[in-house]
Amino acid sequence: MLDALLDATGENTKSKAIDKAVNHYCRCAGANPAHPTGTYEELMERAVEQGSLTLDEIAEILYTDSLPVRHNRVLYWEWTFVSSLIGFSSS
């Protein structure tokens, strides 16, 4: 898992990779002093408000400098399958 984390973060040391991952998690999860409202909460609120989100909108909400989020055509098909299971629109 640490090798995968090193690759995903682009860091050369385990401690820097873990630091990035923890930072990203705290931002996404929220409910902590640094980030009272997390990006997961924002994602769900926008989905409810708008009725659906595009892949670009989802990537924009989840993007952080520490772990950038982007989508491509391959991920689109994976997301379409997953989103159909959890009720998100891929349009």
Side-chain angles (χ1 to χ4, degrees):
M1 292 301 291
L2 285 174
D3 288 337
L5 187 60
L6 286 165
D7 186 48
T9 60
E11 291 295 338
N12 296 324
T13 66
K14 292 175 185 174
S15 62
K16 286 182 182 179
I18 291 169
D19 189 48
K20 271 191 174 181
V22 168
N23 220 359
H24 181 79
Y25 174 80
C26 287
R27 180 178 171 162
C28 289
N32 60 71
H35 304 284
T37 303
T39 53
Y40 295 147
E41 184 178 346
E42 179 185 346
L43 177 66
M44 295 306 206
E45 287 175 358
R46 287 216 11 221
V48 169
E49 288 170 7
Q50 293 177 212
S52 67
L53 296 170
T54 66
L55 294 173
D56 286 332
E57 290 170 324
I58 294 167
E60 178 186 325
I61 292 167
L62 297 179
Y63 181 94
T64 65
D65 290 336
S66 57
L67 291 172
V69 175
R70 295 178 184 86
H71 82 275
N72 61 37
R73 204 62 165 148
V74 173
L75 292 178
Y76 170 79
W77 294 111
E78 291 174 337
W79 178 254
T80 301
F81 174 72
V82 172
S83 66
S84 68
L85 296 176
I86 60 174
F88 274 91
S89 170
S90 61
S91 56

